Amino acid sequence: MVNDKTVDIAPSILSADFSRLGQQIEAVERGGATLLHVDVMDGHFVPNITVGLPVVKSITRCTRLPIDAHLMISKPGVYAEQFVRAGAKMVSVHVEADAQLHRTLMSIKGLGAQAGVVLNPATPMSDLEEALQFVDYVLVMSVNPGFGGQQFILSSIDKVRRLRRIIDERRLHVRIEIDGGIDLENIAAVVAAGADIIVAGSAIFGKSDPQAAVRELREATVQWV
Ligand code: DX5
Ligand code: ZN
């Protein structure tokens, strides 16, 4: 039997060569990427600093891929709307970072983008109890946020499985995204557990041929049982 549900492959530009970002994005688009994942880090919520609004704005001019902005910042409520206005079609905020989560999610949706919440590896699913009904997707971190190239935390597979069960039981239309340490070895398992959106950084841009790497990852999502 073939698993034919639609899975999005979202290359994370964190591991790209920023001196030729446009070309790298074209390559993953040719390889079959369906989203582009942009990691925004502020050096406060996570111990790293990356890119922000101007980069999102520039990228929208060189790709048709929808931009999925992952905000790893301390005050997501202050900036979320600005990322939508800069061109992001999906914006996710960490539950650990936002005391006004409902307000932030509504502001993202109010501008016509998809709103997501993110759970760090040690954040329990119970933190989603109320928020789940207001979101378009949940991003399950399978590494601690901050850096590309880290080792996949195995228990994330079970977390995805439990989350999928909760979403299905509540009959919600919420997609599951997974981010961190995804590669050819584990992608089939996370898709089988219920993930719909697969983020991969080093498994794509760390390879000599990012276009082929996307294609191989997509092929590996297909389950034969
Ligand atoms: C980590 C970021 C990830 C990162 C993933 O904080 O959220 O998106 O780029 O990179 P890999 O796939 O190399 O773990
Ligand atoms: Zn990310």
Side-chain angles (χ1 to χ4, degrees):
M1 195 179 82
V2 177
N3 179 352
D4 58 358
K5 77 169 179 170
T6 313
V7 173
D8 279 309
I9 304 283
S12 161
I13 62 164
L14 185 61
S15 298
D17 177 351
F18 281 88
S19 69
R20 46 193 190 96
L21 187 55
Q23 290 155 264
Q24 297 239 290
I25 291 172
E26 280 171 26
V28 295
E29 197 165 352
R30 281 196 304 270
T34 41
L35 296 171
L36 205 60
H37 186 82
V38 179
D39 289 300
V40 180
M41 305 186 190
D42 65 353
H44 189 259
F45 180 68
V46 288
N48 197 5
I49 299 174
T50 56
V51 298
L53 293 160
V55 173
V56 169
K57 216 171 189 170
S58 296
I59 292 173
T60 58
R61 288 197 291 267
C62 76
T63 182
R64 286 206 300 267
L65 294 177
I67 291 173
D68 161 33
H70 173 193
L71 304 188
M72 285 159 277
I73 61 178
S74 287
K75 293 182 178 169
V78 177
Y79 300 99
E81 276 191 24
Q82 295 182 54
F83 278 91
V84 181
R85 292 188 202 282
K89 298 285 185 235
M90 299 166 67
V91 177
S92 60
V93 298
H94 275 258
V95 297
E96 306 87 2
D98 199 347
Q100 303 284 344
L101 194 55
H102 177 267
R103 174 183 291 158
T104 306
L105 296 170
M106 289 304 129
S107 71
I108 295 167
K109 288 165 82 129
L111 289 176
Q114 291 184 28
V117 285
V118 194
L119 294 179
N120 276 340
T123 302
M125 211 103 73
S126 52
D127 282 18
L128 286 183
E129 176 79 32
E130 293 302 322
L132 200 57
Q133 62 192 306
F134 306 118
V135 302
D136 296 297
Y137 62 104
V138 175
L139 169 47
V140 174
M141 287 306 301
S142 41
V143 299
N144 286 293
F147 303 93
Q150 301 181 80
Q151 197 180 354
F152 181 75
I153 297 172
L154 205 55
S155 57
S156 314
I157 296 176
D158 188 53
K159 198 172 189 181
V160 168
R161 200 177 291 125
R162 284 181 285 133
L163 177 58
R164 169 55 60 203
R165 201 178 310 135
I166 294 168
I167 291 168
D168 290 349
E169 275 168 14
R170 291 175 60 174
R171 297 175 198 276
L172 296 169
H173 293 287
V174 174
R175 301 185 83 208
I176 301 177
E177 180 171 24
I178 186 157
D179 181 9
I182 303 293
D183 58 20
L184 283 172
E185 301 298 311
N186 55 29
I187 192 166
V190 296
V191 170
D196 309 285
I197 306 167
I198 312 295
V199 178
S202 47
I204 293 175
F205 293 110
K207 296 284 162 65
S208 56
D209 186 348
Q211 178 179 340
V214 174
R215 201 183 51 240
E216 285 164 19
L217 281 171
R218 174 168 301 290
E219 284 165 6
T221 63
V222 179
Q223 289 287 292
W224 297 89
V225 281

